[in-house]
Amino acid sequence: MIEPGNRPSSSAVLVWIAFALTAGALDGYAGGAAAVLVAAVGLARLPAEWLGRVGVACLALAPVSVLVDGLPSDATVSPGFVTRSLTPHHLVFGGFSLLAAWIVIDVRRHLRTTGHLADATVRPDPPDHPRVQAPAPLARLSRAGQLALTGAVAVSGAVIAIAVVLR
Amino acid sequence: MTSTEVDDLEAVTDVAVPPATGRPRSRTPGPPPVGRSERIGLLAGVVALAAVVIGTRFGVFTPDTRPDLYQQPGRFLASSLDAWVGGANGLGQANFNAGAAPIAAVVWVIRGLGASPWLAVRIWRLLLLVVGAWGIRRYLAALLGSRLTVAGRVVATVFWVVNPYAVVSASTTPILLPYALLPWTLLAFVQATRQPRSWRWPAAFALGFFAQSGLNAGVVPFFQLLAVPAHLVHARWIERHRWRDLVRVLVRCGLLAVVVSLYWLLPSFLASSTGAGIAGSTEDPRDIARTSSYGETGRLLGNWPLYGRGGARLFLGDYAIYLTNPLVVAASFAVPLAVGISLWRSRARERLLTVALLAVGLPVMVGLFPPDHPYAAGRLLGAVFDRVPVALAFRTTNKVGAIVVLAYVIALAVGVGAWRHSGVARSRRVRVGATAVAAALLLAASAPLWDGGLYPLGFRFPRTWQDATADLDRTGPDGRVLVVPGGAGGNYRWGMRSPDDVFPSLLERPAAVRTTVVGRGDPAGNFMSGFDTALAEGALPARGLSVVAHYLGATDVLVRNDLLTEEINGPSPAAVTGLARDDPGLVLRRSYGKPGTDTVPDTAGPVTERSRQTDRSDSAVAPLLTLAVTDADRAVHIAPASQQILVDGDGGSVIPLARDAITDGRRPIRLLGSLDQRSFATSVRDGGRLVLTDTNRRRAWDVNRVANATSATLAANGDVDSGNGATTTLWPDDPTKQTVTEVTGVASVTADKPGFGLHPFGRASNAFDGDPTTAWITGGFSTATGNRIGIALNRTRTVRSVSVQALPSEPSRITSVAVQVGASQVVQALPPDGTEVKIPIRPTPAERVVVTILGQTPGLNPVGISSVTVDDVAVREVTRLPETLSRLTSHADATTRRRLASMPLDVVLTRAEGIRSDQSDDEEAQLDRRFRLPDDRTMVFTAELTSQGADPVAVAAARRGDRSCRRVALLDGRPLRARVVSTPGQVAEGRLLLQGCGDQKMASGGHELLTIFGWRLDQVRFSSGGAEGASGRSSGASGPSLRLGARTPTRIEASVAASGPGARLFRLGEAFDERWALSIDGRDAGPPILVDGYATGWRIDEHAHRLVATFTAQRAVKATFLLSLAGVVGVVAVVVLPAPSAEDRRRWRHRARHTSLTDGVDQR
């Protein structure tokens, strides 16, 4: 993604083009407008966090738009509630797409700053805490319990299998 | 990165930057322990949830999927193992729901512990919600480790259970079950990526996928797999696992998941045509997408039934609060807002996972929206739905919503964590305030949980149904029950509303019932639709019901008068009851319930005085009646082939055959369209009777009605799939086997499809037929504007005169039209009195004349155009019969032709009248027909019409007993003369029976019958005699000469005694499916044939035999079930049993080497 303060790299331009195409395919001109906004923020060297702010603002405006249009009564509920105005549709799409753009820019920046994003964001193990493997499922069961559970499943399976075969 | 941003990041994630080592550094310390206050809170939450889930509508049965899952879980479980099940119409279909077996097993255990059906529903749902809440806690603990805060965990737990998606979309088990198990499945996947060399977590993933079950062909679990790519992104770029390891994990998870799911994957594949047919007949993808905007899906709604209604009734009335209450609307929109703020303020690394989940989940959930003008992605999806029938199973894209909820939960958890680390949250007052606000928003966003509206659809089975079904089970446990009238599912005035009917829940015996949702061109659906449409339209003859019962092998008939027929244009209860009671082939067993209870349309409950006055006839009938079929046959049946009726038409021909006493319900019927040249020759050799009919009309179908539920009969190139349901027309892609329309006088007549549902009456040609009493009708519910009607002339000609006459309908009528003649267009206002208006055009060369409706007055009624006159152009629409017999004969050998010529042949014609009691809905104003005879015949002409359709002078003469010959029609352009032969009583009833004055010599080849003014014939029959072999009642049997042996849903054993010379037709009684096989004394009898219009059958010889019919797909289904079972046992063992330690492995290797050496010594 285009990063404010820097000359856009070719990879950033490619990512932006992919973003613009996807947004346009998903929400037409509104999606395209979101992509233009992302480019504008980048080219104007504004903080990318602005994208997050605008995204949140879009999400906040969506219910306002719905309420301003008015709510139906039980007697008038119909799909028209959704189709009468596309404004909430575009606002929510725009909100989430701008937030997504902001997050991707932010993550890429960390990645480029540290070289290894995961290392930059993973909490290290405490010195006195040995590195743990992902625990085994049902590791808390005793050996006998494990055997009993497996045996029970196997026996149940056998019973069902016999029933199926005899059927 | 600025220093402030770095500070923010470290504040949230407690980051220190260790040197890169190249090894994955993904293992995280555990989450905070569950403290006392959290434990108490969770316990209180579970209690509150239990109170809501069980206490709401206490004691009311609120099934969240097929009712019989809870009513008869044992039987449901058993049927899950069968590749062939009764299906919606009871005649049988391939089973695409084998995946329900694990659910049925659990519900069976719940019922076994003593829970009644209604309580079992609640316990099951509570169980799933608790399991889901537990799962999301485990998942977040694994994902976030020590960075998961207690507050974030609590918010996530609560939100997973109480959010709009969990309340509305997950109100059904097919969605709730996968929703509850998604976190567990993904927990296993996350851990698998962290231990890429282990089989344990892939095995756990497979178990999670298995537990999601393959209910409804596993659509939702498949949707939820879309969460996997997002987790791969997270694993690769955040946790830094290698692609090679991730691919290994993916392969292992996929492999094991497939193994444990084979038991439903294969049946779903085998039944894909059934499923695709049903999918094609139910919701249209564009209708589903009409409400799934980003706005609605963003607040976790958008599921179309929430916004739908049938008349005044909302489909999900109790959930409408999400649309009508401003507080609830605002609270539900606060959910995506809170998610957005979380994503904006947090710096947690899981934001990328959230974005990836949303990037997949939200667009899929939105699907085709806006359906009328979709964007590029929507157009692509629409093209997939249009071109890949199986893809229609995934048309309800809202079902992917669990992924979006998961993304929200992760965002909220990290957002709460970020907030807790911020300075704002240090104040206790702020924390309490924020907690109160969050709780209020969650309560409002899940309002139906707390306001008693959690279960919009619930009911109790009436005593009448329980008594009637119990009696039916007692009286004839083996025979079928024919249920009338048909419908669009289980929708009753006493409260049940379900796409699944009541019979599998209450009745042990198989029940046959017409349902409007059928597979495209499915013979069983065609047969049931044919007779039930006649019933709904009042066209069933006196013995019609018992004749149909014989063909279906029904020993009893159940009349249900409590069906919501008013919503489906169904017959009145009194009419159906009268028909059943008057049928001489039926004997009343018993009526159930007080007359008038739930039998009066548009009312419910006991009959009121007002109903008695306004609807006396329906108030007087009982809710349920059972009738016995006299001399009933079983579904499995055998009859001499010499008595067969070879019909050019479809299953609906049973009605005219019964009306004209050609069959009593026992003569086997074979449809000529199902025969190839060889089997045709064999059939002709067997003997029987030939009947040409005007059935199997090419029509598009509407699934929402039972009467007048089709388009008008289409031309050979008409779109048979333009309805909202699959067509029941047999061989839908071969118009030569269908009855179609042909126009004379112009090249074609076209009209836009009505905007509000199909109807057969008011066809386009009516506007051009020169008859002002008929009209093109369109535009109900104010949808006429823009609709066009037009003719294409045979050649370009100069049009000098056009006049238009509007139908004088009320309150809505057409006010103006645009008339396009060649390059000229004239806009013309039409007068309110319906007089004809001459359009001021100059002579214009034109190939087409098109009239477009520009305006209509207010009103919901349909409007129309009675007449469009273009110069001297005369248009007539004639109905052409199927040409199968003619085609088969033209390719037959001389012997077959000779035999054919000696067989009796009838041409049976019926005017399409729509509902008999409604004179305004006739599809055909006249009975005009074209048909082809296979050879020269001498025919006897008979006909019937009503006195309203006859010349009053002729009616008066008939009353006087005048039997003189009159010209009643034109046959091949020559007058067809007949006399009225009705008795005085028949004339008084308004029935005129005609008998031809002398025989009609008709040559082989094409013929045209045109009716004339004053003789609107309703039924016509041309009969020629011949050597039929046997006639009258069939000597077919399912009794002494056919003995049934062991029977399962997929295997039927029988033995037949020897009979007289000649082949026999063996009817299995199950819907036609080519995968049925028959062994005769151990030898394969070859592929099955279509018998009696709907059933699987075989032609067998006259000797005694032992017959075994099997549904061949069952073997594969059974094998995959066993494979899956072994797979489940295997993956459980892998998950549970401890992995061998390094020491164990070293010891085993040592032992193996030692044994090998020892073996070597021994060998020496």
Side-chain angles (χ1 to χ4, degrees):
Chain A
M1 205 62 70
I2 299 165
E3 295 178 17
N6 296 319
R7 189 187 176 87
S9 66
S10 55
S11 67
V13 172
L14 285 176
V15 172
W16 180 84
I17 290 172
F19 175 78
L21 288 175
T22 307
L26 292 174
D27 199 23
Y29 290 120
V36 168
L37 188 62
V38 171
V41 167
L43 294 171
R45 303 190 174 187
L46 291 170
E49 199 182 356
W50 272 94
L51 294 173
R53 282 184 192 167
V54 177
V56 169
C58 287
L59 292 174
L61 285 173
V64 177
S65 161
V66 171
L67 292 171
V68 165
D69 282 343
L71 299 181
S73 65
D74 276 354
T76 58
V77 163
S78 78
F81 172 75
V82 184
T83 54
R84 65 184 174 175
S85 168
L86 291 182
T87 308
H89 172 76
H90 296 315
L91 283 172
V92 171
F93 177 82
F96 275 124
S97 58
L98 292 175
L99 279 161
W102 143 240
I103 288 166
V104 171
I105 289 171
D106 194 41
V107 167
R108 282 190 88 232
R109 186 171 50 205
H110 286 303
L111 196 66
R112 291 182 62 181
T113 305
T114 64
H116 298 284
L117 175 74
D119 285 343
T121 52
V122 169
R123 179 186 177 131
D125 296 325
D128 57 343
H129 191 283
R131 176 155 295 171
V132 290
Q133 294 285 319
L138 304 177
R140 287 182 194 170
L141 276 181
S142 66
R143 176 64 67 92
Q146 291 169 345
L147 288 171
L149 182 56
T150 309
V153 171
V155 169
S156 306
V159 169
I160 297 171
I162 291 167
V164 171
V165 169
L166 292 181
R167 191 171 166 72
Chain B
M1 192 185 317
T2 64
S3 60
T4 313
E5 284 170 335
V6 172
D7 290 345
D8 286 349
L9 180 69
E10 294 188 347
V12 175
T13 59
D14 197 10
V15 165
V17 182
T21 62
R23 289 179 54 199
R25 306 288 296 273
S26 56
R27 288 96 193 194
T28 54
V34 180
R36 188 163 172 269
S37 56
E38 189 181 358
R39 235 178 258 278
I40 292 171
L42 288 174
L43 190 64
V46 170
V47 170
L49 189 65
V52 167
V53 171
I54 296 176
T56 304
R57 299 189 74 179
F58 191 84
V60 175
F61 184 48
T62 53
D64 58 357
T65 183
R66 282 174 47 178
D68 50 324
L69 171 66
Y70 299 100
Q71 294 287 340
Q72 305 275 359
R75 205 165 69 184
F76 192 103
L77 177 60
S79 73
S80 309
L81 309 180
D82 294 322
W84 185 258
V85 292
N89 65 17
L91 300 181
Q93 69 180 38
N95 182 13
F96 58 87
N97 215 5
I103 304 167
V106 176
V107 173
W108 180 69
V109 170
I110 294 173
R111 288 290 314 274
L113 293 173
S116 55
W118 81 267
L119 189 57
V121 179
R122 312 300 178 87
I123 292 172
W124 167 246
R125 292 189 62 80
L126 180 63
L127 198 64
L128 291 181
L129 289 169
V130 171
V131 165
W134 183 18
I136 199 66
R137 293 169 65 83
R138 293 290 305 272
Y139 169 79
L140 289 176
L143 188 72
L144 298 170
S146 61
R147 288 174 298 109
L148 176 64
T149 61
V150 172
R153 184 165 60 193
V154 170
V155 167
T157 308
V158 175
F159 184 76
W160 190 257
V161 177
V162 294
N163 64 71
Y165 186 81
V167 172
V168 178
S169 294
S171 61
T172 64
T173 279
I175 292 180
L176 180 59
L177 175 63
Y179 177 81
L181 294 170
L182 177 67
W184 292 100
T185 312
L186 293 176
L187 163 67
F189 189 78
V190 168
Q191 299 289 32
T193 60
R194 292 171 179 173
Q195 287 189 27
R197 294 186 179 279
S198 169
W199 280 91
R200 279 173 183 263
W201 287 107
F205 175 89
L207 271 184
F209 191 75
F210 167 80
Q212 288 184 37
S213 90
L215 196 62
N216 291 354
V219 168
V220 184
F222 271 127
F223 264 131
Q224 294 192 164
L225 286 179
L226 291 174
V228 167
H231 283 78
L232 286 175
V233 167
H234 177 79
R236 177 67 192 97
W237 279 292
I238 302 298
E239 298 197 346
R240 281 191 53 225
H241 299 295
R242 292 179 301 184
W243 275 123
R244 195 171 54 189
D245 289 337
L246 294 179
V247 169
R248 182 188 291 130
V249 167
L250 205 56
V251 169
R252 289 181 177 184
C253 287
L255 185 72
L256 294 179
V258 166
V259 169
V260 297
S261 306
L262 274 176
Y263 78 101
W264 63 263
L265 283 173
L266 183 80
S268 298
F269 174 74
L270 291 174
S272 56
S273 60
T274 307
I278 292 171
S281 302
T282 47
E283 305 101 357
D284 183 88
R286 282 153 192 88
D287 291 336
I288 290 171
R290 208 160 289 282
T291 56
S292 61
S293 67
Y294 279 106
E296 291 304 284
T297 53
R299 63 184 185 123
L300 303 177
L301 296 171
N303 196 18
W304 67 270
L306 173 65
Y307 312 80
R309 63 191 318 136
R313 183 186 69 88
L314 287 167
F315 291 152
L316 299 173
D318 288 335
Y319 296 159
I321 194 170
Y322 280 117
L323 311 176
T324 58
N325 186 305
L327 185 65
V328 175
V329 170
S332 59
F333 270 108
V335 171
L337 179 61
V339 169
I341 293 172
S342 295
L343 293 174
W344 173 43
R345 298 307 301 168
S346 167
R347 295 294 184 273
R349 57 184 186 159
E350 286 74 20
R351 286 176 302 154
L352 190 64
L353 173 60
T354 306
V355 166
L357 287 169
L358 287 177
V360 174
L362 268 180
V364 172
M365 207 173 169
V366 167
L368 296 175
F369 187 90
D372 297 328
H373 307 285
Y375 302 115
R379 283 199 295 275
L380 179 67
L381 189 61
V384 171
F385 287 145
D386 289 340
R387 288 168 197 177
V388 186
V390 174
L392 276 178
F394 296 89
R395 67 201 184 285
T396 310
T397 55
N398 185 273
K399 290 175 179 174
V400 80
I403 293 180
V404 178
V405 181
L406 185 73
Y408 282 11
V409 162
I410 298 169
L412 291 174
V414 298
V416 169
W419 182 74
R420 291 285 290 175
H421 283 86
S422 68
V424 182
R426 285 189 190 128
S427 159
R428 181 181 163 78
R429 194 175 295 170
V430 170
R431 288 204 304 272
V432 170
T435 304
V437 170
L441 287 175
L442 276 174
L443 283 174
S446 55
L449 268 175
W450 321 110
D451 70 356
L454 184 57
Y455 305 112
L457 305 173
F459 58 90
R460 291 184 171 93
F461 286 113
R463 191 79 236 164
T464 48
W465 271 96
Q466 295 177 23
D467 291 346
T469 50
D471 286 352
L472 283 169
D473 281 334
R474 268 195 298 274
T475 53
D478 294 332
R480 240 178 211 148
V481 178
L482 171 60
V483 180
V484 289
N491 299 301
Y492 293 89
R493 296 193 186 95
W494 40 266
M496 181 178 181
R497 283 188 175 277
S498 168
D500 305 296
D501 219 321
V502 63
F503 314 108
S505 296
L506 297 181
L507 198 59
E508 299 286 338
R509 295 169 62 180
V513 60
R514 183 259 180 117
T515 176
T516 55
V517 177
V518 300
R520 186 173 185 266
D522 171 51
N526 170 277
F527 182 93
M528 298 301 285
S529 300
F531 103 84
D532 190 69
T533 300
L535 171 71
E537 294 180 347
L540 215 55
R543 295 189 71 97
L545 210 48
S546 54
V547 166
V548 169
H550 278 293
Y551 278 118
L552 291 172
T555 56
D556 293 274
V557 174
L558 173 66
V559 176
R560 49 178 179 175
N561 289 323
D562 49 2
L563 196 71
L564 278 161
T565 47
E566 58 269 36
E567 292 185 354
I568 52 174
N569 202 24
S572 84
V576 179
T577 301
L579 196 76
R581 297 188 76 144
D582 294 344
D583 190 317
L586 301 176
V587 176
L588 179 68
R589 280 193 198 280
R590 198 185 145 185
S591 57
Y592 297 83
K594 287 186 180 169
T597 303
D598 295 320
T599 64
V600 181
D602 296 317
T603 67
V607 65
T608 61
E609 195 53 44
R610 180 184 161 84
S611 294
R612 281 203 185 93
Q613 288 169 0
T614 56
D615 191 346
R616 189 172 297 173
S617 54
D618 290 330
S619 301
V621 298
L624 296 176
L625 282 84
T626 55
L627 302 102
V629 180
T630 53
D631 299 328
D633 297 310
R634 284 179 178 163
V636 184
H637 183 77
I638 195 163
S642 61
Q643 295 181 355
Q644 69 190 341
I645 305 168
L646 298 171
V647 174
D648 208 353
D650 68 359
S653 60
V654 169
I655 304 309
L657 295 182
R659 182 192 67 211
D660 290 351
I662 296 173
T663 183
D664 60 354
R666 290 175 169 169
R667 298 188 63 171
I669 293 174
R670 297 205 64 191
L671 302 183
L672 289 168
S674 69
L675 304 183
D676 58 19
Q677 208 61 45
R678 191 172 161 190
S679 55
F680 174 64
T682 307
S683 297
V684 170
R685 191 174 66 224
D686 289 338
R689 191 176 190 93
L690 292 160
V691 180
L692 299 182
T693 70
D694 50 8
T695 60
N696 202 33
R697 287 170 177 258
R698 184 176 180 84
R699 295 182 191 273
W701 280 75
D702 187 320
V703 290
N704 297 319
R705 282 172 282 138
V706 291
N708 280 336
T710 68
S711 67
T713 306
L714 299 168
N717 61 356
D719 184 2
V720 78
D721 298 314
S722 60
N724 62 12
T727 181
T728 70
T729 304
L730 294 183
W731 311 288
D733 300 318
D734 187 353
T736 66
K737 296 181 177 180
Q738 303 162 1
T739 297
V740 299
T741 54
E742 297 173 344
V743 289
T744 60
V746 291
S748 64
V749 179
T750 55
D752 287 336
K753 187 180 150 190
F756 212 88
L758 298 170
H759 46 73
F761 50 86
R763 58 188 187 180
S765 61
N766 288 355
F768 301 95
D769 63 0
D771 181 355
T773 65
T774 64
W776 168 58
I777 294 174
T778 187
F781 295 90
S782 305
T783 58
T785 302
N787 282 7
R788 295 165 302 171
I789 184 172
I791 51 170
L793 302 168
N794 286 328
R795 57 182 170 77
T796 302
R797 54 178 283 178
T798 302
V799 175
R800 300 174 189 283
S801 154
V802 175
S803 55
V804 176
Q805 183 179 7
L807 179 73
S809 51
E810 288 182 338
S812 185
R813 61 174 176 78
I814 296 173
T815 54
S816 60
V817 294
V819 179
Q820 179 91 37
V821 181
S824 306
Q825 189 180 53
V826 176
V827 174
Q828 176 69 50
L830 299 179
D833 60 357
T835 52
E836 189 170 26
V837 176
K838 190 169 169 54
I839 309 298
I841 60 161
R842 281 178 292 183
T844 309
E847 275 186 326
R848 301 180 61 84
V849 176
V850 177
V851 178
T852 306
I853 299 171
L854 295 182
Q856 66 180 126
T857 54
L860 302 179
N861 59 293
V863 296
I865 293 177
S866 304
S867 172
V868 179
T869 309
V870 180
D871 291 341
D872 57 348
V873 173
V875 177
R876 190 149 192 175
E877 187 164 359
V878 183
T879 303
R880 192 216 74 203
L881 272 60
E883 296 176 326
T884 321
L885 178 59
S886 174
R887 179 178 51 79
L888 288 169
T889 307
S890 65
H891 294 95
D893 56 41
T895 311
T896 302
R897 283 167 176 257
R898 199 171 52 250
R899 286 177 178 145
L900 196 72
S902 68
M903 291 173 75
L905 184 147
D906 297 274
V907 181
V908 177
L909 309 172
T910 310
R911 185 168 69 89
E913 292 181 67
I915 296 172
R916 295 300 184 270
S917 57
D918 184 350
Q919 302 298 317
S920 66
D921 70 344
D922 292 8
E923 176 188 343
E924 294 176 325
Q926 299 292 346
L927 193 151
D928 295 340
R929 296 289 184 269
R930 286 176 179 166
F931 54 92
R932 298 182 71 83
L933 293 179
D935 44 45
D936 298 345
R937 294 273 169 170
T938 301
M939 297 288 211
V940 173
F941 168 79
T942 53
E944 184 173 339
L945 71 161
T946 62
S947 53
Q948 292 101 326
D951 181 355
V953 176
V955 175
R959 285 205 183 94
R960 293 194 304 270
D962 181 355
R963 296 206 161 194
S964 58
C965 287
R966 296 168 186 272
R967 197 176 73 150
V968 299
L970 293 174
L971 181 62
D972 300 326
R974 287 173 299 162
L976 181 60
R977 299 173 67 81
R979 60 169 61 90
V980 177
V981 293
S982 301
T983 62
Q986 288 169 328
V987 177
E989 287 173 7
R991 291 177 64 204
L992 299 184
L993 308 182
L994 304 181
Q995 177 83 41
C997 297
D999 294 342
Q1000 297 292 325
K1001 293 197 182 301
M1002 300 168 72
S1004 66
H1007 297 275
E1008 184 176 77
L1009 174 74
L1010 299 178
T1011 49
I1012 58 176
F1013 182 76
W1015 295 95
R1016 193 171 65 194
L1017 306 182
D1018 295 331
Q1019 295 149 26
V1020 167
R1021 181 177 175 189
F1022 293 99
S1023 303
S1024 74
E1028 197 180 347
S1031 63
R1033 288 174 64 87
S1034 152
S1035 59
S1038 53
S1041 66
L1042 178 79
R1043 211 168 55 238
L1044 280 175
R1047 174 171 190 151
T1048 69
T1050 57
R1051 181 183 167 92
I1052 298 169
E1053 295 179 14
S1055 55
V1056 287
S1059 66
R1064 294 174 288 180
L1065 292 174
F1066 173 64
R1067 180 184 76 197
L1068 194 61
E1070 300 295 324
F1072 180 75
D1073 191 301
E1074 288 175 342
R1075 288 167 290 185
W1076 278 97
L1078 181 74
S1079 83
I1080 302 176
D1081 300 327
R1083 288 193 314 276
D1084 182 24
I1089 59 174
L1090 178 63
V1091 175
D1092 290 345
Y1094 75 95
T1096 304
W1098 287 267
R1099 180 179 176 275
I1100 63 174
D1101 62 31
E1102 68 270 31
H1103 303 298
H1105 293 295
R1106 182 171 179 272
L1107 309 176
V1108 180
T1110 50
F1111 189 61
T1112 51
Q1114 179 65 19
R1115 213 172 304 148
V1117 169
K1118 198 181 277 189
T1120 53
F1121 203 91
L1122 292 174
L1123 261 177
S1124 284
L1125 208 55
V1128 170
V1129 173
V1131 295
V1132 167
V1134 171
V1135 169
V1136 174
L1137 290 178
S1141 64
E1143 177 62 22
D1144 290 337
R1145 283 198 294 270
R1146 193 186 59 74
R1147 204 179 303 133
W1148 290 344
R1149 274 199 298 272
H1150 174 74
R1151 195 180 300 158
R1153 203 162 42 237
H1154 180 72
T1155 308
S1156 155
L1157 285 173
T1158 311
D1159 289 347
V1161 169
D1162 288 344
Q1163 282 162 12
R1164 277 197 300 272

